[in-house]
Amino acid sequence: MRSIGDAAYLDVDLTKGTVTARVLPESIYRLYPGGSALATYLLLQEMPAGADPLGPDNILVCAVSPLANLPIAGISRMTIAAKSPLTGAIGDSQSGGYFPAELKKAGWDAILVRGRSERPVYLAIHNDKADLRPADHLWGKITGEALDAIHAEFDPKAEVIQIGPAGENLVRFAAVISMLNRANGRTGMGAVMGAKQLKAIAVRGTKRAHLVDPEGVKALASSITARLKENPEVTGLGKYGTAGAVNAQNEAGGLPTRAFQTGHFTTAEKISGETMYDTILKERDTCYSCAVKCKRVVAVDGRVDPKYGGPEYETIATFGSYCGIDDLTAVAEANQLCNMYGLDTISCGATVAFAMEMVEKGILTAADTGDPDLKWGNAAAMLRLVKRIAHREFIGDLLAEGTARAARQLGRGAEQYVVAVKGNDLPAHMPRVKRSLALIYAVNPFGADHQSSEHDFVTAFPMDHWMRKPLNQVGQFPMMDATELSLDKVRFALVTQQFYSITDTLGLCQFVWGPAWQVFGPNDVVALLKAAYGWDCSLFELMQAGERRINLMKVFNVREGLTRADDRLPDRLFEAIPDGPSRGLKVTRAELEAALDAYYAMAGWNQAGVPTGGKLDALQLSWAKTLLPTV
Amino acid sequence: MRSIGDAAYLDVDLTKGTVTARVLPESIYRLYPGGSALATYLLLQEMPAGADPLGPDNILVCAVSPLANLPIAGISRMTIAAKSPLTGAIGDSQSGGYFPAELKKAGWDAILVRGRSERPVYLAIHNDKADLRPADHLWGKITGEALDAIHAEFDPKAEVIQIGPAGENLVRFAAVISMLNRANGRTGMGAVMGAKQLKAIAVRGTKRAHLVDPEGVKALASSITARLKENPEVTGLGKYGTAGAVNAQNEAGGLPTRAFQTGHFTTAEKISGETMYDTILKERDTCYSCAVKCKRVVAVDGRVDPKYGGPEYETIATFGSYCGIDDLTAVAEANQLCNMYGLDTISCGATVAFAMEMVEKGILTAADTGDPDLKWGNAAAMLRLVKRIAHREFIGDLLAEGTARAARQLGRGAEQYVVAVKGNDLPAHMPRVKRSLALIYAVNPFGADHQSSEHDFVTAFPMDHWMRKPLNQVGQFPMMDATELSLDKVRFALVTQQFYSITDTLGLCQFVWGPAWQVFGPNDVVALLKAAYGWDCSLFELMQAGERRINLMKVFNVREGLTRADDRLPDRLFEAIPDGPSRGLKVTRAELEAALDAYYAMAGWNQAGVPTGGKLDALQLSWAKTLLPTV
């Protein structure tokens, strides 16, 4: 008999063609309460060590927030995790939209996919019913067409996550797309689905939330919503969306430009959120139950269809400044291509930029690339290359392997120009400016990530007063010193990483729940979990869950053979920024090594970066000790 | 300019005869927010390594709760800490009453005492004014007489903490007494005052609380008080007080009897809280702003004066069952003697029991003791011995050194019968029955203590769901298995120790704030700190503060030369309990060593029990690393 606090998941064996409902008891679920923690737990339990990421032994898990179906802003999110074909480490990606709530309404907290189907299939879920259906007719289709077909043949109201041709073609940074305009983008989860011949998962859920205290949830929802609407820090995001960051980053010298060669892009204004708002923005979109509406919808007649959404800040940077491109329409078109073909916009843009730098450095020639126009600032060549990557055509076949693998295959000194950690391309935040990111980019188990910790530009942080400096003269929290990776900053990085680890576990949108903690925040989550599940947990318990997830991910990586040597930064970050507001800033190798020493020690890991037995015991992960190599 | 969140303390130099007001900035205070954490911090900052506990270099700190003056139950408490003359380790003791609130109302968060006065003195504080006054005329007086004298000459409304003749005579377990009936009892803080020739501290405070949000505090106070009054778990303590534990402990075989030889005392009923209630209880007393009234006031014509209060559970056990005595009036009289002379009732009763066992074992003879009646069960001899200890007369002079030193001096195999950890006699809870206490008794920095962690008989615990087992059939939390010191129980001990470390830091009464967390608890404290000081802290920050205090205490001990070998239990606990409900239970040496291994590892300490640099960094105690010996 399943109780309210238990988790239910579908165990899909593509090799056998079976779908089995399973229950994870509350006693386990509360240790790994949803999202990334639950996905990592299941992955580590079920995937044999050394699995080929593109083979049948890899496991893919989709896991939603335990609160995903509640009528509250910013809690309808989902993690997709698997061993990453891009990095060989744990893969992890997040997205919002409407799929997570729909899956939860169908009664499921997670989906585990194992094996490999002989033929393309998709998984169709209608509440308790779930079955695998042929997808031969969908294979090769872009996302817009496949979505229409699934809506037509399964349920017009179904929410769908799917891969596009890029995933089918095993592009190592292929994404999983939902609603045509959201992506579980990072670390190549789309390639894992492609390798398994799983085109899509469609779900229709009509169940009402089964809650311990429905009135309590309702009251909290009203209270949180009211506070949210009054909070300009959150609602302010609505106007320009994440694209509002373009100008701010550029002014700080933190807008990665020409593959991180510099942090200032002279014509950034042309690709800014403000310019988008004034020109191609058609409307604003939202995720389930969210009033913020940060999502962009853009339209350009004949070139950009609004159904594919609009570019986020990261996408603008990677296809824009990373490539020296200031053509906003071209950026929006690249965004559309990625959503049609199922590509991670960050890695895809970074890969195009890498190719452009290869040309600049003479490592690739026009003969190699098949495109004499492929150089900094050329939007048309950028768009051509995106399509070639998706289809693995010409040089796109090499680049579809990701920058790190491509550079290794190229030789000729190409590797020094790879701007990635563990093979995962750097998101559009500059570690030479936000120094704590240098550390987090290095240590984050799934490679460089910008949403796994608080950045240096912290305005307020709920967990620990001591991570910020005293109020300045005008009563604001000044940003931390950008030019040092001090012991305080290492601790700041570690603790905020643990907090953000909760957000990716409980499926909290960081744009909603991150900045506004004084208005609503962790204590509301504690109250929600109590009202929804009767869990009498505490912020302490949640912080432990966050730390538990990070340690579990680390155990996964150690088991897969990663070492301290994989917690390293690309060469580029050790070069001084040559111009702009952040001119002269660089990370030093000694600084990074000292920070790694300190981070590992503070984390309760040994100096090889492996969690100690005591730390695993303290986190109730004693079972995971057996997964580590004996020293 | 002092701000609301800063701490203010008096720095008293008895050698120089000076009293200096000092401010500790909020930036430091929040790391060590009051009570034991603040006291330990100041002690470690100010006391040179290797100080003689009874010499002028020792430092004594009184530190109150940052909330001590608020009209709320269970937050008016104070720590007294110093290097312990009983243990050579950190000394730490807690008490409630009215002194803490009065000190805070005078504007002070702590008093630091250094040096040694040439003549007996007392410190008289009236709000901002503080001066040292002669106490020659008070020296040698019992507490009741000294209190009257201070009230007459200084201020009749002054609250006073003082030592009695025992402290003057440097009895190593002398207590500091307030209101004649409360004690900072443990670890010999009274002897430290005696050695410094500081008879008393008297304070009169008339300032109103200076709060950031007075209305917010008022609302919280009303809300907490209302919830408290409705909570039978808390208010229920009022009827029988802590003495209500006698029968319950005895029924579980956990009432230490005849120096822990067994856990069942056949006539325990005669010294129970219920019997007290029916016979000698005169009224119930309370601490500042508390409606629980758990404090006993007993009266027996011609023998027990109600102004000296009444015995708590620990006192009943140590003078009762520890000694095989079932005479409640005699126990009450022993309690009175301890409050008159200034003795820790736990160590004093345990020391009498030790002496009785020495007689039983033939290690002491009637000629040695000067009292042929000194044997199990003899109340008159017990009372005689208490007086002799206070005055260091006859065998009392040896026993005033504490059981551990006395046994070493006795030789003849006496040491095997010492029931103490680090020289601190075991409180009246049975580690063979409540197994997690075996570990905490061993590792607690100031020796065996029963209020430094949650016991195995946990009914509910706020911090972490995972520390308890699932609800049983009747919806209650079953007690943990008493017969194993499992990895789970080690973790339970560690985490609850961190939580109780907060209570002794923020000055929270564990009887009020311990059991009722679902009604009011940690989140109320977070809210109170916000309303009172504007501190936007969190439960996570508080838990870190609790862990920080424990690590700081450990650093103190390491600096004083203590090692893993000091984290050991007395031989008695490795003997099976011979009879009663807990018959056969014992701790094994292998079990304890394994638990120590696990505890250290989980705590982030090395296997020698020394905090790692990484743990100290993580707790913002990097400065303390220099105090540790280099390995």
Side-chain angles (χ1 to χ4, degrees):
Chain A
M1 171 72 193
R2 189 186 159 201
S3 78
I4 287 185
D6 296 339
Y9 68 99
L10 290 169
D11 185 337
V12 180
D13 189 325
L14 292 171
T15 303
K16 295 181 184 164
T18 57
V19 182
T20 311
R22 298 197 192 282
V23 170
L24 196 74
E26 177 175 335
S27 58
I28 305 290
Y29 191 31
R30 275 189 65 170
L31 285 170
Y32 318 98
S36 179
L38 178 59
T40 306
Y41 169 75
L42 291 173
L43 192 49
L44 203 45
Q45 290 281 325
E46 300 285 346
M47 193 198 87
D52 175 0
L54 298 177
D57 284 347
N58 199 1
I59 301 279
L60 181 120
V61 181
C62 310
V64 302
S65 164
L67 305 166
N69 57 342
L70 302 186
I72 295 172
I75 51 176
S76 180
R77 292 180 67 80
M78 180 172 78
T79 300
I80 302 182
K83 182 173 176 181
S84 167
L86 187 65
T87 69
I90 183 85
D92 191 280
S93 61
Q94 313 288 329
S95 76
Y98 283 75
F99 184 93
E102 196 75 14
L103 185 63
K104 184 79 178 161
K105 286 178 182 176
W108 305 107
D109 298 288
I111 302 166
L112 182 151
V113 182
R114 63 177 87 230
R116 180 180 185 278
S117 176
E118 285 285 318
R119 306 287 311 163
V121 292
Y122 72 96
L123 176 66
I125 305 167
H126 191 288
N127 291 337
D128 295 337
K129 286 175 53 185
D131 57 293
L132 291 164
R133 301 184 177 196
D136 305 77
H137 60 301
L138 304 176
W139 208 250
K141 280 196 161 45
I142 61 169
T143 54
E145 294 169 4
L147 181 64
D148 289 345
I150 291 172
H151 278 163
E153 72 185 57
F154 170 55
D155 187 322
K157 290 187 173 172
E159 291 296 335
V160 177
I161 58 171
Q162 60 168 317
I163 57 170
E168 298 168 14
N169 295 330
L170 309 182
V171 176
R172 286 184 186 268
F173 46 88
V176 179
I177 304 292
S178 72
M179 305 177 74
L180 307 183
N181 45 43
R182 268 85 169 173
N184 286 83
R186 308 240 63 200
T187 65
M189 298 298 97
V192 177
M193 281 179 67
K196 293 187 176 302
Q197 303 239 65
L198 179 65
K199 177 70 175 174
I201 300 176
V203 62
R204 181 80 174 102
T206 59
K207 296 183 180 181
R208 296 182 56 172
H210 191 199
L211 305 168
V212 166
D213 174 14
E215 287 306 311
V217 170
K218 204 169 158 184
L220 276 163
S222 301
S223 158
I224 290 169
T225 303
R227 282 176 280 157
L228 170 68
K229 286 182 177 164
E230 287 167 6
N231 188 308
E233 270 194 280
V234 177
T235 54
L237 186 66
K239 185 167 184 184
Y240 298 125
T242 58
V246 172
N247 283 337
Q249 294 268 38
N250 196 45
E251 282 156 24
L255 183 68
T257 299
R258 292 186 296 281
F260 280 77
Q261 286 180 5
T262 184
H264 187 68
F265 186 43
T266 48
T267 51
E269 175 65 33
K270 295 170 70 178
I271 54 171
S272 67
E274 289 83 341
T275 299
M276 193 187 335
Y277 186 87
D278 292 338
T279 58
I280 64 174
L281 189 71
K282 183 169 183 281
E283 59 182 316
R284 291 156 48 193
D285 194 10
T286 183
C287 295
Y288 179 80
S289 261
C290 185
V292 177
K293 294 195 173 181
C294 73
K295 188 91 189 99
R296 306 291 91 178
V297 179
V298 302
V300 182
D301 279 350
R303 286 181 66 186
V304 184
D305 185 336
K307 75 180 179 185
Y308 290 105
E312 298 285 338
Y313 164 71
E314 298 291 328
T315 308
I316 293 173
T318 54
F319 287 113
S321 56
Y322 276 44
C323 296
I325 289 171
D326 60 12
D327 178 342
L328 185 58
T329 297
V331 168
E333 213 173 335
N335 180 66
Q336 174 174 273
L337 289 173
C338 286
N339 285 340
M340 286 167 61
Y341 295 130
L343 284 164
D344 173 31
T345 60
I346 296 177
S347 275
C348 191
T351 302
V352 173
F354 168 77
M356 288 175 169
E357 178 151 29
M358 291 296 91
V359 171
E360 179 190 52
K361 297 294 188 291
I363 296 171
L364 283 178
T365 65
D368 295 322
T369 65
D371 190 338
D373 293 331
L374 186 68
K375 54 184 71 164
W376 299 125
N378 193 303
M382 176 271 283
L383 292 169
R384 278 193 295 276
L385 188 54
V386 173
K387 292 177 198 165
R388 287 175 174 182
I389 288 170
H391 294 106
R392 282 187 173 269
E393 294 167 350
F394 310 106
I395 191 75
D397 189 34
L398 174 69
L399 294 172
E401 292 293 289
T403 53
R405 273 186 179 75
R408 272 203 297 281
Q409 288 185 38
L410 276 174
R412 304 176 232 171
E415 287 190 72
Q416 67 185 289
Y417 301 108
V418 172
V419 188
V421 176
K422 300 180 180 65
N424 197 17
D425 304 284
L426 261 61
H429 299 261
M430 184 64 88
R432 288 174 282 187
V433 176
K434 302 176 183 179
R435 200 60 57 92
S436 73
L437 275 189
L439 174 61
I440 293 298
Y441 275 12
V443 298
N444 185 56
F446 54 92
D449 190 59
H450 58 300
Q451 294 202 280
S452 289
S453 64
E454 185 62 77
H455 297 195
D456 294 37
F457 297 96
V458 62
T459 51
F461 189 72
M463 294 297 104
D464 186 344
H465 170 78
W466 300 102
M467 280 180 285
R468 40 176 207 247
K469 297 188 175 179
L471 292 173
N472 65 17
Q473 303 287 10
V474 291
Q476 293 169 327
F477 296 101
M479 59 184 257
M480 298 178 88
D481 188 343
T483 58
E484 51 163 352
L485 194 36
S486 63
L487 209 55
D488 274 351
K489 196 168 283 192
V490 171
R491 184 172 179 277
F492 171 86
L494 175 75
V495 179
T496 64
Q497 186 188 26
Q498 290 168 4
F499 175 67
Y500 277 86
S501 184
I502 300 176
T503 68
D504 284 349
T505 293
L506 295 176
L508 305 176
C509 174
Q510 297 175 2
F511 298 138
V512 174
W513 292 83
W517 74 273
Q518 283 175 308
V519 180
F520 58 93
N523 287 338
D524 287 303
V525 178
V526 169
L528 276 171
L529 290 169
K530 170 92 176 168
Y533 295 106
W535 291 354
D536 47 0
C537 66
S538 69
L539 184 56
F540 174 76
E541 182 175 331
L542 295 184
M543 284 296 280
Q544 290 249 313
E547 190 180 1
R548 186 178 296 119
R549 163 184 170 267
I550 295 167
N551 276 266
L552 217 45
M553 289 179 143
K554 187 72 186 185
V555 167
F556 183 98
N557 282 0
V558 172
R559 192 179 68 151
E560 294 302 318
L562 278 76
T563 68
R564 175 170 175 147
D566 294 292
D567 287 356
R568 66 164 181 264
L569 294 176
D571 292 348
R572 178 126 296 155
L573 302 186
F574 303 112
E575 300 166 7
I577 294 176
D579 52 29
S582 58
R583 181 168 180 268
L585 292 182
K586 64 174 179 174
V587 182
T588 72
R589 290 180 197 276
E591 176 187 23
L592 177 65
E593 289 306 314
L596 285 178
D597 288 351
Y599 174 92
Y600 293 156
M602 288 193 208
W605 298 355
N606 67 23
Q607 286 295 299
V610 179
T612 60
K615 174 52 73 177
L616 294 177
D617 286 334
L619 293 171
Q620 293 152 290
L621 293 175
S622 304
W623 61 270
K625 287 189 284 187
T626 59
L627 306 180
L628 295 175
T630 50
V631 186
Chain B
M1 170 74 192
R2 189 185 158 201
S3 78
I4 288 185
D6 296 339
Y9 68 98
L10 290 170
D11 185 336
V12 180
D13 188 324
L14 292 172
T15 303
K16 296 182 183 162
T18 57
V19 182
T20 311
R22 299 196 192 282
V23 170
L24 196 74
E26 176 174 337
S27 58
I28 305 290
Y29 191 32
R30 276 187 66 170
L31 286 170
Y32 318 98
S36 179
L38 178 59
T40 306
Y41 169 74
L42 291 174
L43 192 49
L44 203 44
Q45 290 281 325
E46 300 286 345
M47 194 198 87
D52 174 1
L54 298 177
D57 282 348
N58 199 1
I59 302 277
L60 181 120
V61 182
C62 310
V64 302
S65 165
L67 305 167
N69 56 342
L70 302 186
I72 295 171
I75 52 176
S76 180
R77 290 179 68 78
M78 180 172 78
T79 299
I80 302 182
K83 183 173 175 181
S84 168
L86 187 65
T87 68
I90 182 88
D92 191 281
S93 62
Q94 312 288 329
S95 75
Y98 284 75
F99 184 93
E102 195 75 13
L103 185 63
K104 183 81 177 160
K105 285 178 182 175
W108 305 108
D109 297 289
I111 302 166
L112 183 151
V113 182
R114 63 178 87 228
R116 180 179 186 278
S117 177
E118 285 285 320
R119 307 286 313 163
V121 291
Y122 72 95
L123 177 66
I125 305 167
H126 190 288
N127 291 338
D128 295 338
K129 286 175 53 184
D131 58 293
L132 291 165
R133 302 185 177 195
D136 304 76
H137 59 303
L138 304 177
W139 209 249
K141 280 197 160 46
I142 60 169
T143 55
E145 294 168 6
L147 181 65
D148 289 345
I150 291 171
H151 276 162
E153 71 186 56
F154 170 55
D155 187 322
K157 289 186 174 172
E159 290 297 335
V160 177
I161 58 171
Q162 61 167 318
I163 58 170
E168 299 168 14
N169 295 331
L170 309 183
V171 176
R172 288 182 185 270
F173 47 87
V176 179
I177 304 292
S178 72
M179 305 178 75
L180 308 184
N181 44 43
R182 268 86 169 173
N184 286 83
R186 308 241 60 200
T187 65
M189 298 299 97
V192 177
M193 280 179 67
K196 292 186 176 305
Q197 303 239 65
L198 179 65
K199 176 69 175 175
I201 300 175
V203 62
R204 181 81 174 102
T206 59
K207 296 183 180 182
R208 296 182 57 171
H210 191 201
L211 304 168
V212 166
D213 175 13
E215 287 307 310
V217 170
K218 204 169 159 185
L220 276 163
S222 301
S223 158
I224 290 169
T225 303
R227 281 175 283 156
L228 170 68
K229 287 183 176 161
E230 286 166 8
N231 188 307
E233 270 195 278
V234 177
T235 55
L237 186 65
K239 185 168 184 184
Y240 298 125
T242 58
V246 172
N247 282 338
Q249 293 269 40
N250 196 45
E251 281 157 23
L255 183 68
T257 299
R258 292 186 297 282
F260 279 78
Q261 287 181 5
T262 184
H264 188 67
F265 186 43
T266 47
T267 51
E269 175 64 33
K270 294 171 70 178
I271 54 171
S272 68
E274 290 83 341
T275 298
M276 195 188 332
Y277 186 88
D278 293 338
T279 58
I280 63 174
L281 189 71
K282 182 168 183 281
E283 58 183 314
R284 289 157 48 195
D285 193 11
T286 181
C287 295
Y288 178 79
S289 261
C290 185
V292 178
K293 294 197 174 181
C294 72
K295 188 89 190 101
R296 305 291 91 177
V297 179
V298 302
V300 180
D301 280 349
R303 286 181 67 185
V304 185
D305 184 337
K307 74 180 179 183
Y308 289 104
E312 298 285 337
Y313 164 71
E314 298 290 330
T315 307
I316 293 174
T318 54
F319 287 113
S321 56
Y322 275 44
C323 297
I325 289 171
D326 60 11
D327 176 342
L328 185 59
T329 297
V331 167
E333 212 173 334
N335 180 66
Q336 174 174 271
L337 290 173
C338 286
N339 286 340
M340 284 166 60
Y341 295 129
L343 285 164
D344 174 30
T345 60
I346 295 177
S347 275
C348 190
T351 301
V352 173
F354 169 76
M356 288 174 169
E357 178 152 26
M358 291 296 92
V359 170
E360 178 191 53
K361 296 294 187 294
I363 296 172
L364 284 178
T365 64
D368 294 322
T369 64
D371 191 339
D373 292 333
L374 186 69
K375 53 185 73 164
W376 300 126
N378 192 303
M382 176 271 284
L383 292 169
R384 276 192 296 276
L385 188 53
V386 173
K387 292 178 202 166
R388 288 175 172 182
I389 288 170
H391 294 109
R392 282 187 174 270
E393 294 167 349
F394 308 106
I395 191 75
D397 190 35
L398 174 69
L399 295 172
E401 292 293 289
T403 53
R405 275 186 178 75
R408 271 203 298 282
Q409 288 186 38
L410 276 175
R412 306 177 231 170
E415 286 190 72
Q416 69 186 289
Y417 301 110
V418 173
V419 188
V421 177
K422 301 181 179 66
N424 196 19
D425 304 283
L426 260 60
H429 299 263
M430 184 64 91
R432 287 174 282 187
V433 176
K434 303 174 181 179
R435 199 60 58 93
S436 73
L437 275 189
L439 175 61
I440 294 298
Y441 275 11
V443 300
N444 185 57
F446 55 92
D449 189 61
H450 58 298
Q451 293 203 278
S452 290
S453 65
E454 185 62 76
H455 296 195
D456 295 39
F457 296 98
V458 61
T459 52
F461 188 72
M463 295 296 103
D464 187 345
H465 169 79
W466 300 101
M467 281 180 283
R468 38 176 208 245
K469 298 188 174 181
L471 293 173
N472 66 17
Q473 303 288 13
V474 289
Q476 292 170 328
F477 296 101
M479 59 183 255
M480 298 178 88
D481 188 342
T483 58
E484 51 163 354
L485 193 38
S486 63
L487 209 54
D488 275 351
K489 194 168 285 192
V490 171
R491 184 173 178 278
F492 170 86
L494 175 74
V495 178
T496 64
Q497 186 189 25
Q498 290 169 3
F499 175 67
Y500 277 87
S501 184
I502 300 176
T503 68
D504 284 349
T505 293
L506 295 176
L508 305 176
C509 173
Q510 297 176 3
F511 299 139
V512 174
W513 293 83
W517 75 274
Q518 282 175 309
V519 180
F520 57 93
N523 287 338
D524 287 301
V525 178
V526 169
L528 276 172
L529 290 169
K530 172 93 177 166
Y533 295 105
W535 291 355
D536 47 359
C537 67
S538 69
L539 184 57
F540 174 75
E541 182 176 330
L542 295 184
M543 284 296 280
Q544 290 248 315
E547 190 179 2
R548 186 177 296 119
R549 163 183 169 268
I550 296 167
N551 276 265
L552 216 45
M553 289 179 142
K554 187 72 186 183
V555 168
F556 182 99
N557 282 358
V558 172
R559 192 178 69 151
E560 295 302 316
L562 277 78
T563 69
R564 176 170 174 146
D566 294 292
D567 288 357
R568 67 163 180 265
L569 293 177
D571 290 349
R572 178 124 300 155
L573 302 186
F574 303 113
E575 300 166 7
I577 293 176
D579 52 30
S582 58
R583 182 169 181 269
L585 292 183
K586 64 174 180 175
V587 182
T588 72
R589 291 179 195 276
E591 177 187 23
L592 177 65
E593 289 306 314
L596 285 178
D597 288 351
Y599 175 91
Y600 293 156
M602 288 192 207
W605 298 354
N606 68 24
Q607 286 296 299
V610 179
T612 60
K615 175 51 75 177
L616 294 177
D617 286 334
L619 294 171
Q620 293 152 291
L621 293 176
S622 303
W623 60 270
K625 286 190 285 187
T626 59
L627 306 181
L628 296 175
T630 50
V631 186

